[in-house]
Amino acid sequence: MSTLVTTGVPSAQDIAGVTPPEERRARGPYATIECFQPIPCDPCHHSCRFGAIQEFEDINDIPKMDWSKCTGCALCVAACPGLAIFVVDETYSETECLIAMPYEFVPLPEKGQPVKLTDRAGIVVADGIVQRVVAGRKPAGTPVVWVSAPKRLATVVRGFILRKEG
Amino acid sequence: MAVRTTELVIIGAGPAGICAALEAASHGVKTTLVDRGEELGGQLIKQTHKFFGWHKKSAGTRGVLIAKKLAEEVLNNENITLLNSTEALGYYDDGTLLVETPRGIDRVLGDRLIVATGASERMLLFPGNDLPGVYGAGAVQTLMNVHGVRPGDSVLMIGSGNIGLIVSYQLLQAGVRVAAVVEAMPTIGGYAVHASKIRRLGVPIMTRHTIKEAYGKEQVEGAVIWELDENWNGIPGTEKDLEVDVVCLAIGLTPLAELLWQCGAEMAYIPELGGFVPLYDETMETTRKGVFVAGDVAGIEEASTAMAAGRMAGLSAARSLGKVSDLDYSRLRNEIAGELEGLRSGPASAKILSGIAKMRAMLQSVKEAAAVSEAEPANQPANQPADQPANRPAKQAASEPAKEGDLAEAGARDSEAQGNNGSKSEEAVGA
């Protein structure tokens, strides 16, 4: 039984299955879809303008990625009703990666703001900085926040907490 | 006492009732929509999260926006009369629905009735469950998302079904701490994406755990949780004391079916559907002729299926009033049935499908028994529906060309009966 259904945290095996191969990760930003259960939902496929998220045969299909077509645009991050999609750019700098995450809280962070980076269990693992904030499309859209993080944590960081001032 | 006459009465203006009304009205049926709330939309008005489903339907839209859109359609539809802030009191053999409006008690006389009353929340027994601060998840949502009131500062959520997970997320969005989500079952009940979403925000989800007690003088000041063994008994020594001022119960829903009991529809206890539900055929008609159902009252599911089932009930009611041509009827019916089938095709719907199959088998035996007792009138039980006067014949239908055969009978051929995938009894789900 995967830890996904006992704790809500996907297992290492779950994550390995939605992470592209090394050579693709070294080539530029990619989407990773952390959606492991067949549920009736298909907006991710329709949000992709590049055909990277393949068409669903059945509404309950788990999304399938064609990473050769993915540009890392993050439209799917904003579209996913389950807030389960992230874009990771491991080519951001020598030491850092950039991670796009859905964020449905107010106030939205600002560019340059320092944050505490968290893993899939909500545990703080490092410090990061907000690099870009894309407000959600009115009225239903989910804002997307791009945060820089240590490169070694590219597959670990999946959330952030705004640092309290003072 | 005012008397209102109408072709179709619908009780409940949630997703099922509204979609039933819009469908029926689109065929020219004069429809009266009754709801005890002030606002249209039922539970949708509290759903601030994005919905799953089909991109071409409402997927990705938030429930509250769906409610707004549906409400506008209802208010702009000249075939629909809305009676809001109005409670349905009882439905009688002559087709009278007694309602309590803000001005007093009225009679609504309809040719057909659709019951879309939804569900009520289950209660859990534990010491301290009567303290102020113990809420149902629906109340927490109403406070926060309708009235903008925080229910407290720190919450223990009981139950990890989709409602427990979603309300936990909404609490976090409102700036309320969620100390933990406890779940008595060995696995999380709701969708993994909802669970992962709150887990990422640092909320522990503890399976095989439940609440032992809530304590406090005037209100909840804390709660004790503990682990459960294989036999659902708390394990001494595993207690954890949580400093919370709210205990939120999200342990499931049960159909709000009193009106159906009262009006004499055959009911059955089907745990997979959430408790006592009416027996109904594929057209959504109950054993009380002319009385249809849709939404959670027909079995606990979710809003997307409720909307589709509502359309089916509205279509069936319109058809039985002679308002839909054969061609349109079969086209629309296939379309809606296909949508329902798609929504229910995943593993998450196995339980509901086995419940529906069970219910249909019971309906079949009720119909067979009725056929036998009709053949031997002397044995006819007093409470047989056939004894009661059938619904008032539709005035409009009388002028329509006669439809051969009884639709309800035709619809009873059950295609879902084979879909029984090992139903398990889950009556002991204490959360």
Side-chain angles (χ1 to χ4, degrees):
Chain A
M1 204 186 301
S2 167
T3 51
L4 181 66
V5 293
T6 54
T7 68
V9 180
S11 66
Q13 208 183 344
D14 289 331
I15 297 307
V18 296
T19 307
E22 285 293 339
E23 53 92 18
R24 173 62 186 85
R25 291 169 58 182
R27 236 176 36 230
Y30 59 85
T32 172
I33 306 185
E34 302 192 1
C35 176
F36 307 104
Q37 275 179 345
I39 56 173
C41 187
D42 71 359
C44 58
H45 158 68
H46 293 276
S47 75
C48 184
R49 301 196 182 160
F50 305 98
I53 303 174
Q54 292 169 30
E55 192 166 352
F56 287 47
E57 268 172 49
D58 184 287
I59 185 81
N60 286 282
D61 286 350
I62 291 171
K64 276 199 271 309
M65 279 294 294
D66 178 350
W67 279 297
S68 69
K69 292 180 181 162
C70 177
T71 65
C73 72
L75 282 176
C76 55
V77 177
C80 173
L83 310 196
I85 310 183
F86 304 84
V87 165
V88 182
D89 182 2
E90 297 182 55
T91 63
Y92 181 60
S93 83
E94 275 299 298
T95 55
E96 289 182 308
C97 64
L98 202 58
I99 305 175
M101 297 182 263
Y103 189 78
E104 294 184 333
F105 289 81
V106 285
L108 279 177
E110 278 168 30
K111 189 180 168 177
Q113 194 169 337
V115 292
K116 290 282 181 198
L117 301 169
T118 55
D119 66 6
R120 293 183 181 85
I123 296 164
V124 174
V125 290
D127 291 319
I129 293 180
V130 173
Q131 301 294 348
R132 213 176 132 203
V133 179
V134 184
R137 255 221 319 246
K138 299 261 174 207
T142 298
V144 176
V145 177
W146 297 73
V147 176
S148 54
K151 204 178 219 170
R152 65 186 164 84
L153 298 176
T155 61
V156 172
V157 168
R158 289 297 179 267
F160 62 88
I161 306 169
L162 297 187
R163 273 203 230 160
K164 296 230 166 67
E165 280 162 47
Chain B
M1 188 189 292
V3 180
R4 300 162 179 272
T5 55
T6 185
E7 289 173 311
L8 170 64
V9 189
I10 299 174
I11 306 170
I18 290 179
C19 289
L22 291 172
E23 182 66 35
S26 77
H27 302 289
V29 176
K30 295 284 176 214
T31 301
T32 300
L33 184 57
V34 178
D35 195 277
R36 69 176 169 198
E38 216 171 305
E39 275 182 77
L40 281 162
Q43 298 301 308
L44 283 177
I45 64 170
K46 313 174 192 174
Q47 309 309 327
T48 52
H49 63 286
K50 290 198 280 190
F51 276 37
F52 300 116
W54 273 285
H55 165 72
K56 60 177 193 282
K57 295 279 172 182
S58 319
T61 317
R62 297 179 195 274
V64 60
L65 297 169
I66 299 174
K68 216 171 158 184
K69 183 173 156 270
L70 290 174
E72 269 166 30
E73 284 178 42
V74 166
L75 297 173
N76 292 329
N77 194 310
E78 56 182 17
N79 284 329
I80 304 176
T81 305
L82 176 65
L83 292 180
N84 58 347
S85 304
T86 295
E87 195 123 13
L89 301 176
Y91 185 68
Y92 301 95
D93 288 350
D94 64 348
T96 292
L97 177 74
L98 220 52
V99 296
E100 185 175 18
T101 75
R103 294 161 303 283
I105 294 193
D106 283 356
R107 271 176 78 191
V108 184
L109 267 173
D111 300 317
R112 298 289 183 275
L113 176 71
I114 297 175
V115 178
T117 41
S120 62
E121 288 182 283
R122 291 206 175 127
M123 187 60 186
L124 188 64
L125 291 178
F126 57 89
N129 73 354
D130 58 345
L131 280 171
V134 177
Y135 294 86
V140 165
Q141 278 196 315
T142 304
L143 276 176
M144 285 196 305
N145 303 348
V146 181
H147 303 295
V149 175
R150 278 164 50 131
D153 294 322
S154 186
V155 176
L156 168 64
M157 182 66 67
I158 315 291
S160 73
N162 279 330
I163 295 178
L165 298 174
I166 289 167
V167 174
S168 293
Y169 182 67
Q170 294 173 351
L171 282 159
L172 294 167
Q173 286 179 306
V176 178
R177 177 176 164 259
V178 179
V181 176
V182 292
E183 167 61 58
M185 298 289 282
T187 57
I188 292 166
Y191 290 162
V193 286
H194 283 315
S196 299
K197 198 164 77 176
I198 62 165
R199 194 72 194 86
R200 285 200 298 270
L201 293 162
V203 177
I205 304 172
M206 304 165 83
T207 47
R208 278 231 172 275
H209 276 74
T210 193
I211 185 169
K212 188 183 182 191
E213 61 165 331
Y215 60 85
K217 259 198 179 136
E218 304 277 310
Q219 61 178 70
V220 173
E221 289 166 22
V224 178
I225 57 171
W226 61 351
E227 203 179 325
L228 295 172
D229 67 17
E230 306 288 307
N231 301 314
W232 307 89
N233 296 315
I235 305 172
T238 62
E239 290 91 346
K240 282 191 194 74
D241 199 331
L242 302 175
E243 203 181 303
V244 294
D245 59 352
V246 172
V247 174
C248 182
L249 301 177
I251 56 168
L253 302 170
T254 195
L256 200 57
E258 283 82 353
L259 266 168
L260 291 158
W261 281 107
Q262 182 266 328
C263 81
E266 285 284 345
M267 306 290 290
Y269 184 75
I270 301 177
E272 293 89 338
L273 300 181
F276 278 100
V277 290
L279 303 182
Y280 59 94
D281 64 22
E282 283 184 320
T283 72
M284 308 304 290
E285 191 171 26
T286 66
T287 55
R288 172 83 197 262
K289 218 169 149 18
V291 177
F292 300 80
V293 286
D296 276 357
V297 73
I300 305 301
E301 251 178 302
E302 44 75 57
S304 309
T305 43
M307 290 191 271
R311 280 187 67 200
M312 185 67 98
L315 176 69
S316 304
R319 160 80 172 189
S320 74
L321 287 163
K323 300 270 188 171
V324 190
S325 74
D326 287 356
L327 202 64
D328 282 349
Y329 176 70
S330 66
R331 179 177 57 82
L332 288 165
R333 180 178 155 154
N334 288 342
E335 181 193 308
I336 303 166
E339 191 183 323
L340 276 169
E341 202 185 308
L343 286 169
R344 290 172 176 156
S345 64
S349 297
K351 195 170 108 178
I352 195 92
L353 286 179
S354 80
I356 292 172
K358 250 192 203 179
M359 182 272 293
R360 290 284 154 72
M362 289 184 198
L363 178 68
Q364 198 55 42
S365 43
V366 166
K367 287 194 169 179
E368 277 160 19
V372 170
S373 58
E374 236 164 74
E376 304 163 50
N379 290 341
Q380 196 167 328
N383 64 348
Q384 204 59 38
D387 248 356
Q388 298 165 356
N391 240 32
R392 292 194 303 127
K395 281 166 270 163
Q396 291 71 19
S399 59
E400 292 280 322
K403 298 276 179 295
E404 75 288 356
D406 185 326
L407 260 175
E409 296 297 329
R413 305 286 84 83
D414 189 0
S415 65
E416 278 165 326
Q418 308 96 306
N420 196 332
N421 7 29
S423 66
K424 43 184 178 196
S425 170
E426 290 186 349
E427 283 158 77
V429 188

